[in-house]
Amino acid sequence: MLGNFTYCNPTKLYFGEDSLSNLGTELKKYGQNVVLIYGGGSIKKNGIYDEVMAILREEEKNVAEIAGVMPNPTLEKLYEGVEIVRNHKADLLLAVGGGSVCDYAKAVSVSVNCEEDPWEKYYLKFEEPSCEIIPVGCVLTMVGTGSEMNAGAVITNHDAKLKIGHVFADEKIMPKFTILNPKYTLTLPHYQMISGIYDIFNHICEQYFSGEDDNTSDYISEGLMKSVIHSSRIANKNPQDYEARSNIMWSATWALNTLVAKAKSTDWMVHMLGQAVGACTDATHGMTLSAVSLPYYKHIMPYGLAKFVRFAKNVWDVDATGKTDEQVASEGLQAMENWMKELGLVMNITELGATEDMIPDLVKGTIVLPGGYKVLDVDEIEQIFRESF
Ligand code: NZQ
Ligand code: ZN
């Protein structure tokens, strides 16, 4: 393992069927004014809203609400939330929902006391906050993003046709606490469940496919990938399997809470391509990743061949006897493709609403990152999008 790094993750996790019983203890640590943030209404249908409100009442909190945080939260919604939180003089933002709600709460938390325009400061200039941050707590209901234990906040600006994620460097932006109850994920539609599963898997890939040194993170990543593949097959057949769903939830947190990125350059190009698709189509995050993944990985395979061979052998149990490295690596990607199809993931961007006339915007909206096995040029990006239709 090479390089210098710092590791600090201050998010306190409460995991399991009884984990919400800890919310009261956490709420006692903050002032009276709480803003409850949630999405389009799933928490009202499945009863989580009532459970959380009962605890807020018990703790005698003065509660305001931001409802209707949409999947892929928008800049307009961010501005709206900032006003509500300012007026309420919030001491705590309580996000109850999926990655969109958790991300949104973090974006609001760094924007409430910010004197500059948050889009400009955080999403175009990628600056860190210089103002006071409102603390965030999460009750997670959708599994995949890792937002529950990281400092990422993705915001979509439809006018600019840009979807940009800022992973803040300051761990103060990570949630102070997160309640992880696998039972809450059992009401997710199948489409969202498998989308989240692929999001988890791809987060691990994005960190795994970089570097040539011997790094403990890669061994942890292989274990996480095997667990996700195993549990996903069980959950795909029986979504109510609590054990599988709880393993998926736990893997999601570890896939993107900064641990497996330590001492690695990390790739993240599938996410950059996927986010460009998201900006143009507003499609579900995990599906934007599945739709571009194979063209991308086939394209970079020759540049990171040794790692793709290792992936094939250690993650997909490909037997390498008598085969060339190229054959082994390709069999690994084939096994991944078979698994993706078995789950029912979207395998092309056409199905997500992308059309050929969007190609210039897709290419323009793709931020190029240098940490993977090949720094893509504009022609390569266009080629990968064309192969993704
Ligand atoms: O809005 P409601 O009605 O709650 O419905 C949601 C939403 O329609 C529904 N849902 C959530 N929990 C449910 C449920 N339906 C039934 N039962 C439940 N228990 O699921 C839909 C999707 O929710 P969303 O929060 O949008 O999904 P996800 O968790 O995948 O979050 C996606 C957002 O996170 C960003 C994505 O770009 C996207 O904007 N990401 C954040 C990251 C981070 N912070 O590090 C990294 C990721 O790569 C990702 O980019
Ligand atoms: Zn993701």
Side-chain angles (χ1 to χ4, degrees):
M1 189 161 64
L2 308 170
N4 305 301
F5 62 83
T6 305
Y7 181 72
C8 175
N9 193 319
T11 304
K12 183 162 187 174
L13 299 177
Y14 296 98
F15 192 94
E17 278 186 86
D18 301 327
S19 51
L20 193 69
S21 62
N22 298 290
L23 181 59
T25 313
E26 284 300 325
L27 290 175
K28 287 188 207 328
K29 298 178 186 168
Y30 303 93
Q32 222 202 337
N33 297 337
V34 176
V35 174
L36 177 66
I37 305 178
Y38 56 96
S42 70
I43 65 163
K44 290 205 166 160
K45 283 193 212 116
N46 57 24
I48 300 171
Y49 176 86
D50 290 339
E51 283 185 55
V52 169
M53 278 307 272
I55 297 169
L56 284 163
R57 267 196 297 272
E58 218 173 285
E59 296 300 323
E60 297 178 341
K61 296 296 179 183
N62 172 27
V63 181
E65 295 189 9
I66 301 174
V69 176
M70 61 292 280
N72 310 321
T74 63
L75 183 59
E76 288 75 27
K77 189 71 184 172
L78 172 61
Y79 292 141
E80 180 194 313
V82 165
E83 280 312 305
I84 294 171
V85 172
R86 275 187 192 144
N87 292 338
H88 195 62
K89 299 192 168 38
D91 300 303
L92 176 73
L93 308 181
L94 185 59
V96 184
S100 294
V101 174
C102 298
D103 274 21
Y104 176 83
K106 285 180 254 177
V108 171
S109 82
V110 295
S111 303
V112 172
N113 297 311
C114 176
E115 283 170 8
E116 292 147 81
D117 176 59
W119 177 256
E120 188 82 18
K121 182 176 171 70
Y122 300 130
Y123 294 94
L124 294 180
K125 297 192 202 148
F126 284 93
E127 289 176 4
E128 290 294 305
S130 40
C131 59
E132 201 197 324
I133 298 161
I134 316 281
V136 171
C138 296
V139 177
L140 196 71
T141 68
M142 151 88 198
V143 166
T145 64
S147 186
E148 66 273 16
M149 203 185 189
N150 70 36
V154 184
I155 293 293
T156 298
N157 180 339
H158 285 298
D159 291 339
K161 291 194 182 134
L162 290 172
K163 178 177 183 184
I164 298 182
H166 187 158
V167 181
F168 291 92
D170 190 340
E171 62 265 5
K172 279 210 285 289
I173 293 144
M174 292 176 178
K176 299 289 171 234
F177 64 90
T178 288
I179 309 274
L180 292 165
N181 182 344
K183 243 175 64 186
Y184 290 165
T185 69
L186 296 179
T187 55
L188 273 171
H190 181 260
Y191 188 86
Q192 292 296 339
M193 179 187 79
I194 58 171
S195 169
I197 287 169
Y198 190 71
D199 194 20
I200 304 167
F201 190 81
N202 189 254
H203 291 160
I204 308 168
C205 290
E206 298 273 32
Q207 298 162 93
Y208 181 76
F209 286 115
S210 67
E212 271 146 26
D213 56 324
D214 187 34
N215 189 322
T216 302
S217 289
D218 291 335
Y219 298 86
I220 301 173
S221 289
E222 286 163 355
L224 284 171
M225 286 193 267
K226 290 192 101 142
S227 172
V228 172
I229 296 162
H230 178 75
S231 299
S232 69
R233 287 188 159 131
I234 298 169
N236 199 38
K237 286 207 189 89
N238 176 17
Q240 299 303 309
D241 189 303
Y242 179 83
E243 184 177 59
R245 298 300 289 272
S246 57
N247 280 319
I248 292 167
M249 189 170 221
W250 193 225
S251 301
T253 303
W254 284 94
L256 196 50
N257 69 358
T258 75
L259 177 77
V260 298
K262 289 303 155 191
K264 295 198 57 88
S265 57
T266 72
D267 184 353
W268 292 109
M269 278 315 296
V270 170
H271 272 67
M272 296 304 104
L273 296 158
Q275 279 173 204
V277 175
C280 289
T281 63
D282 209 25
T284 299
H285 172 67
M287 297 305 191
T288 65
L289 309 177
S290 60
V292 300
S293 278
L294 280 153
Y296 174 71
Y297 286 127
K298 283 180 186 165
H299 184 83
I300 65 157
M301 194 184 87
Y303 304 96
L305 190 60
K307 197 54 156 292
F308 281 89
V309 170
R310 177 173 166 171
F311 177 66
K313 288 188 197 160
N314 293 359
V315 179
W316 297 103
D317 300 321
V318 171
D319 179 3
T321 322
K323 294 171 193 158
T324 64
D325 282 354
E326 284 77 8
Q327 280 170 329
V328 176
S330 297
E331 277 188 37
L333 287 184
Q334 186 58 56
M336 182 173 98
E337 183 173 348
N338 295 346
W339 168 71
M340 292 168 76
K341 288 182 173 161
E342 179 188 326
L343 291 187
L345 291 163
V346 174
M347 302 300 285
N348 61 71
I349 60 176
T350 317
E351 214 179 298
L352 300 175
T355 48
E356 296 233 356
D357 60 301
M358 288 179 185
I359 286 178
D361 284 331
L362 291 172
V363 174
K364 206 161 70 188
T366 302
I367 298 170
V368 178
L369 298 175
Y373 289 122
K374 172 76 176 74
V375 182
L376 299 184
D377 62 31
V378 173
D379 293 339
E380 289 173 299
I381 293 171
E382 180 171 340
Q383 186 194 333
I384 290 163
F385 279 128
R386 287 196 183 280
E387 287 166 4
S388 302
F389 277 101

